Amino acid sequence: MLQFFKSPLPSRLLALLLLVLAVRLPLLWWGIPLSAVELRALLVGERLHAGALPYRDLYDATAPLAAALFGLLDVVASRPLWLYRVLALALLLTQALRLSFVLNRADVHPERGYVAALVYMVLASVTTDLDILSPLLLGQTFLLLALSALLPTSREGYDNRRLFRAGFLIGVAALCYLPLALFLLVGLFAVIIFAANSFRSFLLLICGFAFPYAVVATFLLYNDALPDFRQYHLAPTLSGLVLGADGLPLALQWKLLVLPGAVLLLALARSFTTSLGLVFQIKFQQLMLVWLLVAALMVAAGRGTAPGTLVLVLPPVTYFSLFLWQKAPLRWVVEVLFLVVLGSVVAIRYRTLAGLDVALRFPSESRYAMQLHPAYAQLSGQRLLVLGPDLRPYINNKPASPYLDWRLAQADFGHLSQYAAVYRLSRNLAPAPPTVLIDQTNRLAELQYKIPAVFGRYQPTVTQRVYRLK
């Protein structure tokens, strides 16, 4: 199989697509339950389609470009979950092919072909966490687009436009998922090892990074949302308040990283014993090592549970694995090793259907999906306000206030003794109060006492902690 994909013929692309669909499509066809990150994305897109401006009319930490994409997808269809899944697969294929193209064009490895794209997509199929559209997956696409701009195309080094473009793409990636700004460190290292004038080149990189943020800041300034952008996106993300909140548990994430980690260790051992002839190839290997270190910092920043964490390590693992699959005295050993990796990916992905999750103590990602609570099953099509962190009531209902993320809503609901917080609550809810209120935190009594014009109109229903507007 590896020998087949080492050919640069375009027909290998079709074979790659068929292989990826064969691994992924059956599980997608049987249905992957709705994840927490997808539900949040659907709700954000729905609110933006209804006319809300992020951070000013919607208190959620989703990065601006990711939120804008969710709103655009909701224009295409209402809560288009199928479109999210298709776009996630398209982004992964784009990343794999782009990385393969860069590696082939830069001659970083003696052998060419589509092996890099093959390994990228096979390892990305180890978990259904990469079947969903997450801000991290979206931002990673721009990082891989920036990689080619970080590599000089001649002995004279960079030209100004390439460095500015690289910084610009890293800035766009950070506007999809803020911690991706850490990859400026990769850009700095590339400038140090490739550029003649490192300081001037790094300033160009920084200017390119700052440009998309300047555009977004200008837009938000003219729409009176710039302070809210700092309060509800920059501050919570930099403090780690919202990172990894919608992801899989840390123990499960580590188990999912075991197979890519094993491939990486074997590949590193093989690469360090392989002689690299060109100075550029040695420098590129160093660049990938720095990428791997920055990816580890990113995993730590997301506490190991950020949705789509695996995609961070796929580029360096893919690059180093090329040394693992290169020509060997016994060619069949390499082929068998790759088939073992492919079989392990299929076994992990379909472990629940094969009944292996209990025996291996390896729970399925679907166990942590968003399931509708029986107590809220009778609610459908209502305009909701949920006083609490549980977003499951929104599965069949619509958010009717800016207070989507309960952690960020504490800026108002957590300071009811302050007049400013009470005023903001009244201003945000009085014009169009939600038809149904779910009180998960037992705050309604205090709210009825302090803001009776809004919360005094809610009466209890037969369901505990569910109140309906008079």
Side-chain angles (χ1 to χ4, degrees):
M1 180 181 291
L2 285 174
Q3 196 63 32
F4 176 79
F5 283 99
K6 287 180 180 179
S7 170
L9 295 177
S11 60
R12 274 49 177 175
L13 290 176
L14 178 60
L16 174 63
L17 180 61
L18 292 176
L19 177 62
V20 170
L21 291 179
V23 174
R24 288 170 165 263
L25 199 57
L27 199 58
L28 290 173
W29 182 264
W30 287 322
I32 298 176
L34 179 69
S35 65
V37 65
E38 285 178 313
L39 177 59
R40 183 179 298 275
L42 292 171
L43 296 175
V44 169
E46 192 172 62
R47 287 288 294 167
L48 265 61
H49 185 202
L53 184 69
Y55 320 117
R56 188 192 67 184
D57 306 318
L58 179 63
Y59 301 160
D60 186 79
T62 304
L65 284 187
L69 175 63
F70 299 151
L72 183 62
L73 293 178
D74 199 76
V75 174
V76 177
S78 178
R79 298 197 178 185
L81 185 58
W82 62 272
L83 190 55
Y84 278 58
R85 304 280 170 83
V86 171
L87 186 56
L89 179 58
L91 287 176
L92 277 174
L93 280 170
T94 301
Q95 294 173 19
L97 294 176
R98 181 63 182 180
L99 179 62
S100 180
F101 171 76
V102 171
L103 297 180
N104 288 337
R105 189 180 66 174
D107 290 323
V108 299
H109 194 271
E111 297 180 355
R112 294 193 174 192
Y114 295 101
V115 175
L118 172 67
V119 174
Y120 196 99
M121 291 304 302
V122 167
L123 292 180
S125 301
V126 76
T127 171
T128 57
D129 197 35
L130 294 185
D131 289 334
I132 63 178
L133 180 63
S134 63
L136 178 51
L137 179 62
L138 179 62
Q140 177 85 347
T141 307
F142 293 102
L143 285 184
L144 288 173
L145 293 176
L147 178 59
S148 60
L150 289 173
L151 304 179
T153 55
S154 66
R155 293 182 179 179
E156 288 74 21
Y158 293 107
D159 61 58
N160 296 344
R161 292 172 298 177
R162 290 176 64 82
L163 278 175
F164 186 88
R165 184 167 73 251
F168 177 84
L169 289 170
I170 296 175
V172 172
L175 284 173
C176 297
Y177 186 72
L178 181 59
L180 289 175
L182 282 173
F183 276 88
L184 274 176
L185 298 175
V186 177
L188 172 61
F189 185 78
V191 165
I192 291 174
I193 62 176
F194 290 127
N197 190 336
S198 298
F199 181 72
R200 177 178 176 273
S201 300
F202 186 61
L203 285 181
L204 283 169
L205 192 71
I206 291 295
C207 289
F209 175 83
F211 181 75
Y213 268 93
V215 173
V216 171
T218 302
F219 172 79
L220 295 174
L221 177 64
Y222 279 95
N223 287 277
D224 299 323
L226 189 57
D228 301 316
F229 175 66
R230 180 199 62 80
Q231 180 180 0
Y232 296 115
H233 173 61
L234 294 180
T237 306
L238 292 175
S239 64
L241 177 64
V242 297
L243 291 177
D246 296 327
L248 298 173
L250 182 59
L252 180 56
Q253 288 280 21
W254 279 117
K255 290 181 179 179
L256 292 170
L257 287 172
V258 166
L259 180 61
V263 173
L264 176 62
L265 291 177
L266 291 173
L268 286 174
R270 184 72 186 277
S271 65
F272 291 149
T273 59
T274 301
S275 176
L276 296 175
L278 301 177
V279 174
F280 177 82
Q281 293 177 347
I282 297 174
K283 290 182 176 181
F284 189 87
Q285 186 182 66
Q286 295 170 348
L287 181 66
M288 285 292 102
L289 284 172
V290 173
W291 187 305
L292 186 62
L293 291 176
V294 174
L297 288 177
M298 281 281 302
V299 173
R303 300 172 185 175
T305 60
T309 293
L310 175 61
V311 79
L312 290 169
V313 300
L314 286 181
V317 171
T318 298
Y319 163 74
F320 286 109
S321 72
L322 294 179
F323 297 95
L324 191 60
W325 318 123
Q326 65 186 354
K327 291 181 180 178
L330 298 176
R331 182 182 299 177
W332 64 270
V333 175
V334 177
E335 294 284 347
V336 169
L337 179 59
F338 179 79
L339 290 177
V340 169
V341 172
L342 178 60
S344 300
V345 168
V346 174
I348 294 173
R349 187 172 178 87
Y350 293 90
R351 61 190 181 278
T352 301
L353 295 177
L356 299 175
D357 53 344
V358 177
L360 299 176
R361 296 184 180 180
F362 200 155
S364 172
E365 296 94 317
S366 60
R367 179 180 299 183
Y368 305 97
M370 302 298 287
Q371 303 292 338
L372 185 62
H373 195 284
Y376 311 131
Q378 78 281 7
L379 297 176
S380 180
Q382 302 293 328
R383 297 176 60 255
L384 280 186
L385 170 61
V386 178
L387 303 182
D390 188 2
L391 294 180
R392 289 178 297 174
Y394 289 119
I395 292 178
N396 292 331
N397 301 280
K398 297 181 178 181
S401 74
Y403 303 103
L404 180 61
D405 193 315
W406 182 246
R407 293 155 300 187
L408 303 182
Q410 294 308 299
D412 291 344
F413 285 100
H415 299 84
L416 294 178
S417 59
Q418 299 178 7
Y419 175 78
V422 173
Y423 170 74
R424 287 193 298 268
L425 283 169
S426 179
R427 181 193 62 189
N428 290 331
L429 298 174
T435 56
V436 174
L437 185 148
I438 299 177
D439 184 17
Q440 298 175 351
T441 57
N442 295 321
R443 293 175 186 256
L444 184 58
E446 184 179 3
L447 290 168
Q448 288 177 331
Y449 173 73
K450 294 185 175 179
I451 316 177
V454 177
F455 293 96
R457 300 169 59 187
Y458 288 92
Q459 293 181 336
T461 64
V462 294
T463 305
Q464 189 179 9
R465 296 187 178 183
V466 177
Y467 300 86
R468 188 174 294 275
L469 187 69
K470 292 182 181 177

